[in-house]
Amino acid sequence: TAIQLALCPVLAWLTVRATPASRHRGVQGWIVLGLASVALVVTEPVVHGIALGQVSLVLAALVIVDNTVVPPRWRGVLTGVAGGVKLLPLVFLPYYLVTGQWREARNCLAGFAGSTALAFAVLPADSIRYWTVMVFATDRVGLPGESRNTSLLGLLLHWGIGATWLWLALAAVIAGACLARARTLFLRGQEFAAVLTVGVLSTVISPISWPHHLVWMSVAGVYLVLSGRRWPR
């Protein structure tokens, strides 16, 4: 709980830094940062994650810090480590590839391999069981048709559409569109927006996205409000 609450002002600061709101100085700057921090804390994904002791906010913070603060030489390692905790952050691997960040892609794979190897060293039996049995038992975390599942698959199932091929086709189209948009933002120098785009994509194409997974939406919402343009608000 303490770690997640402490990360909210950190993420708020990174968000403010990436928007025109960063021009505010003195008392006004502290007010903007405070409001952004509170806005993150009171969103349902953050509250839900804190209530359940989940790590979604921590993983999102690792990825954001990795791709916007860490020097390019080491960029990608923390994202790979996050992927070693939960597989979903590995969606950033194709992002690195489409943006031509080859070193970051290698670092991501190295971080993932290193964290997974560490898990094998510390808990070998559990690691073997996970990679040979549990990783394929997707129903262990809940059923995709549950009302709390906010992913694309969940949406289709809520509508009574259970065609796997349709879900995969739509997910592929959405992933292609998001990665193309992220590439455009990256080439414009808007790396923070690019990272948020891919982060939000991960919540859409995942088979199951519980409320705490949507912390990417919380950060993206604050970013859009602070962007200074009317249409995002």
Side-chain angles (χ1 to χ4, degrees), residues 33 39 61 75 77 91 116 135 141 171 202:
L33 179 59
R75 192 164 294 176
V77 174
V91 72
T116 303
V135 72
V141 297
S202 70

Side-chain angles (χ1 to χ4, degrees), residues 45-185:
V46 174
V47 171
H48 192 259
I50 292 175
L52 297 182
Q54 287 289 345
V55 296
S56 297
L57 181 66
V58 178
L59 298 183
L62 278 177
V63 173
I64 291 174
V65 168
D66 188 25
N67 289 279
T68 61
V69 178
V70 172
R73 180 181 179 183
W74 303 106
R75 192 164 294 176
V77 174
L78 290 180
T79 301
V81 171
V85 178
K86 282 193 173 184
L87 295 176
L88 213 51
L90 294 181
V91 72
F92 280 86
L93 188 56
Y95 162 70
Y96 291 140
L97 297 178
V98 300
T99 53
Q101 300 183 76
W102 312 114
R103 177 173 53 193
E104 288 80 354
R106 291 193 299 270
N107 288 345
C108 181
L109 289 173
F112 174 73
S115 58
T116 303
L118 177 61
F120 267 97
V122 176
L123 297 168
D126 288 339
S127 295
I128 292 173
R129 182 168 179 263
Y130 175 79
W131 287 107
T132 58
V133 178
M134 301 306 294
V135 72
F136 304 108
T138 54
D139 58 345
R140 64 190 165 81
V141 297
L143 298 176
E146 290 188 25
S147 60
R148 293 181 299 118
N149 181 19
T150 56
S151 70
L152 173 64
L153 177 59
L155 176 66
L156 293 175
L157 292 175
H158 299 161
W159 286 348
I161 304 173
T164 302
W165 68 268
L166 179 60
W167 166 55
L168 292 174
L170 290 175
V173 171
I174 292 172
C178 283
L179 289 172
R181 179 61 178 167
R183 183 177 187 276
T184 299
L185 291 168

Side-chain angles (χ1 to χ4, degrees), residues 44-45 143-156 158 200 202-215 217:
E44 185 196 8
L143 298 176
E146 290 188 25
S147 60
R148 293 181 299 118
N149 181 19
T150 56
S151 70
L152 173 64
L153 177 59
L155 176 66
L156 293 175
H158 299 161
V200 171
S202 70
T203 70
V204 177
I205 63 175
S206 172
I208 292 180
S209 287
W210 301 133
H212 62 82
H213 292 147
L214 302 184
V215 291
M217 295 293 292

